[in-house]
Amino acid sequence: MAEIKLNSTSITLEEITGTEGEKAFDIGSLRNETGYVTLDYGLKNTAVTKSEITFLDGEEGVLRYRGYPIEQLAERASFLEVAYLLIYGELPTSNQYEDFDHAVTNHTLIHEDMKKFFEGYPQRAHPMGVLGSMIGALSSFYPDVLNPDQNQNDIDRTIHRLLAKSATIAAWSYKNSIGHPVMYPQNRLNYSANLLYMMFGMPTEEYDLNDKTVSALNKLLILHADHEQNCSTSTVRVVGSSQANLYAAASAGVMALWGPLHGGANQAVIEMLQEIYDDGGASKQNVDKWLDRFKDKESGQRLMGFGHRVYKNFDPRATIIKKAADDVFEDLKVNDPLLDIAKQLEEFALNDDYFIEKKLYPNVDYYSGLLYRAMGIPTEMFTVMFALGRMPGWIANWKEMTEEKQPITRPRQIYTGKNKREFIDMDQRS
Ligand code: CMC
């Protein structure tokens, strides 16, 4: 219990404790009882919901989906298995997995009319814009989703469609951007292999899938699959709270993820490394110069791929990705000058007082971009890969929120504008 005393009023706030011991006070009655609200820019100190999906301990570098450590899931599970776990709460039995895999795979095709949409986008359209708008457009092909009285089967079908079709849309947006014919999905392949096939296969020849690349992509997707109340997931919940359909909410999630402070950071990391390389290569002198720039607020530049709102010791996803990246770099005999710069920057930053004091460590995006690059995935597609990975997390959060019938999200504000004043006719205005 906590007691707040405000002038002559005193109220008691109920204490909430999570299953891993995090503590909160429920301030839901504060305004009614005292006339006050709380102000918390960036919601740095506000829990917006209770959730059973993902646990994250930023101080200890812990990430678990439904209780299972991310390290075990990344090593031993498939992406669709993890999607099932996040969305339905338990790891699937082999029968459940077979049904789920079949249901998702069955929906990999998109409506032929949607193929024409791609012709309408400029070739240089950013694939995140294409993905977000086309996921929103899926709702127009399945108008049943607009019916608020859907049963569980209808909802499951939407979930299967969204998971399957977003991968096809993503791959086709890439094909469109390079003027290549789109590749229809191959349902004999698993999710990750199919995605690579649709992106890199050609109708003119056989496409040889590299097992290590498929496995690395599977890992990357799992590592991105959920991250509790991050910016895009919160967006999905905010949009979903108005009872907008799942496609609308997921489309909003894609758009929120796009920004460079969130999922767009993986693209920004590569662009930053390229800029450093173009400026003077991987020499110590050049890397040092850039590190100084990142520490100087006046420069307006940050070391992209470093720092996190929640992780203050290390990002467990970054540790796994770095290992997966090293395996792929070795297997594919990658010789990438940007990798040398990334390694140097990391080493210098981890030993630099500025980064140590502010607890800034490499996050998931620092090495994921280099790994995508080694796989041949173009820079503008990096955030799209993140979006595909995050899809199960968005769906799980949307489902949890709608099942709990949470109220519409409608925050308050503290108005700091002009007080009431009289309208002035235009010819009287100075
Ligand atoms: N380089 C240099 N300085 C930094 C960086 C950085 N990457 N990140 C934070 N700082 C400084 C910042 O200037 C501030 O300094 P001061 O206290 O003197 O004002 C301090 O560290 C705290 O930063 P903040 O912006 O208040 O922290 P935040 O929790 O609001 O932001 C962040 C977290 C991830 C947006 C930020 O660290 C950042 O901009 N990092 C670079 C972008 C990036 O890599 N984003 C991907 C995040 S992980 C993927 C995902 O989940 O979306």
Side-chain angles (χ1 to χ4, degrees):
M1 294 288 188
E3 203 180 329
I4 294 191
K5 286 194 177 129
L6 286 164
N7 308 325
S8 57
T9 322
S10 156
I11 67 157
T12 308
L13 302 178
E14 190 198 339
E15 191 174 321
I16 315 272
T17 307
T19 47
E20 291 285 349
E22 321 97 302
K23 295 191 187 312
F25 294 115
D26 183 345
I27 53 135
S29 63
L30 191 64
R31 186 169 182 278
N32 275 352
E33 296 197 32
T34 65
Y36 281 74
V37 293
T38 54
L39 176 64
D40 182 17
Y41 283 113
L43 301 180
K44 288 191 180 196
N45 198 50
T46 298
V48 290
T49 186
K50 292 181 197 168
S51 176
E52 296 181 358
I53 303 168
T54 288
F55 172 66
L56 200 166
D57 181 337
E59 273 70 37
E60 298 297 324
V62 170
L63 175 60
R64 294 184 206 132
Y65 300 161
R66 303 281 188 184
Y68 294 103
I70 189 65
E71 292 79 6
Q72 294 178 17
L73 293 168
E75 197 54 44
R76 293 161 58 185
S78 74
F79 175 60
L80 281 191
E81 206 178 341
V82 170
Y84 185 99
L85 170 71
L86 284 167
I87 296 167
Y88 298 106
E90 293 295 339
L91 283 169
T93 61
S94 59
N95 282 345
Q96 286 168 333
Y97 181 71
E98 208 175 298
D99 289 349
F100 183 64
D101 183 48
H102 178 74
V104 172
T105 307
N106 203 27
H107 287 290
T108 49
L109 282 173
I110 57 174
H111 196 290
E112 280 294 298
D113 286 349
M114 279 195 109
K115 223 167 93 178
K116 298 190 199 116
F117 291 9
F118 288 99
E119 292 161 21
Y121 288 103
Q123 204 167 5
R124 289 304 306 147
H126 196 289
M128 280 298 274
V130 177
L131 181 70
S133 55
M134 293 212 21
I135 285 178
L138 282 172
S139 57
S140 49
F141 289 87
Y142 307 103
D144 45 310
V145 293
L146 305 178
N147 171 9
D149 302 319
Q150 289 189 85
N151 60 37
Q152 191 57 48
N153 282 344
D154 297 334
I155 293 170
D156 285 343
R157 198 170 321 113
T158 304
I159 291 172
H160 302 147
R161 282 181 174 140
L162 182 53
L163 282 170
K165 292 177 199 307
S166 48
T168 309
I169 292 170
W172 287 14
S173 73
Y174 168 57
K175 285 294 199 189
N176 188 57
S177 74
I178 52 171
H180 282 187
V182 299
M183 293 296 284
Y184 282 91
Q186 278 292 341
N187 287 352
R188 67 185 159 78
L189 299 173
N190 68 33
Y191 182 97
S192 305
N194 201 14
L195 182 56
L196 289 170
Y197 168 80
M198 288 190 287
M199 287 178 74
F200 300 117
M202 288 294 278
T204 42
E205 53 201 60
E206 281 292 311
Y207 175 64
D208 290 329
L209 282 156
N210 176 317
D211 287 347
K212 290 220 168 120
T213 309
V214 174
S215 152
L217 179 58
N218 182 61
K219 243 181 215 150
L220 277 163
L221 293 168
I222 291 174
L223 294 176
H224 285 96
D226 196 37
H227 214 229
E228 50 121 289
Q229 304 312 314
N230 55 85
C231 175
S232 56
T233 303
S234 304
T235 302
V236 168
R237 279 188 176 253
V238 169
V239 175
S241 77
S242 73
Q243 295 183 2
N245 65 79
L246 179 53
Y247 297 119
S251 157
V254 172
M255 296 309 189
L257 186 74
W258 194 356
L261 296 191
H262 191 13
N266 51 19
Q267 174 174 342
V269 168
I270 294 296
E271 287 165 354
M272 169 192 79
L273 295 173
Q274 187 67 53
E275 203 181 341
I276 298 174
Y277 178 73
D278 293 342
D279 187 45
S283 73
K284 180 171 181 322
Q285 197 192 13
N286 189 39
V287 175
D288 268 343
K289 182 182 85 185
W290 276 87
L291 201 64
D292 285 343
R293 198 172 289 178
F294 297 135
K295 293 191 281 184
D296 174 12
K297 278 210 181 58
E298 297 298 307
S299 76
Q301 286 178 301
R302 285 184 169 196
L303 175 49
M304 299 311 284
F306 259 68
H308 199 274
R309 170 63 60 81
V310 184
Y311 292 123
K312 298 299 175 199
N313 256 328
F314 68 97
D315 179 341
R317 304 166 302 171
T319 312
I320 300 170
I321 286 194
K322 194 173 177 194
K323 165 90 183 53
D326 283 341
D327 289 350
V328 169
F329 296 151
E330 199 185 311
D331 186 55
L332 300 180
K333 310 219 176 331
V334 170
N335 183 8
D336 186 347
L338 300 195
L339 179 62
D340 298 338
I341 294 178
K343 285 189 170 157
Q344 278 199 64
L345 260 180
E346 181 189 6
E347 193 195 322
F348 293 176
L350 290 178
N351 290 299
D352 187 284
D353 285 347
Y354 173 93
F355 291 89
I356 294 171
E357 275 159 25
K358 295 189 189 301
K359 299 188 182 241
L360 302 169
Y361 298 86
N363 60 49
V364 68
D365 289 322
Y366 195 67
Y367 277 100
S368 66
L370 286 158
L371 183 46
Y372 288 135
R373 191 173 141 96
M375 289 172 173
I377 293 171
T379 316
E380 287 205 332
M381 284 296 287
F382 292 178
T383 317
V384 169
M385 308 310 277
F386 190 157
L388 296 180
R390 185 55 53 86
M391 198 60 75
W394 290 336
I395 295 170
N397 275 274
W398 175 88
K399 185 165 171 284
E400 183 177 74
M401 185 204 63
T402 47
E403 283 172 1
E404 286 177 4
K405 300 202 184 327
Q406 290 192 6
I408 187 167
T409 303
R410 204 305 185 182
R412 295 273 176 177
Q413 65 164 20
I414 304 295
Y415 176 69
T416 56
K418 302 273 189 229
N419 293 115
K420 186 181 175 200
R421 47 188 178 159
E422 292 303 315
F423 181 79
I424 304 167
D425 290 328
M426 199 178 285
D427 58 2
Q428 314 264 308
R429 289 176 213 158
S430 51

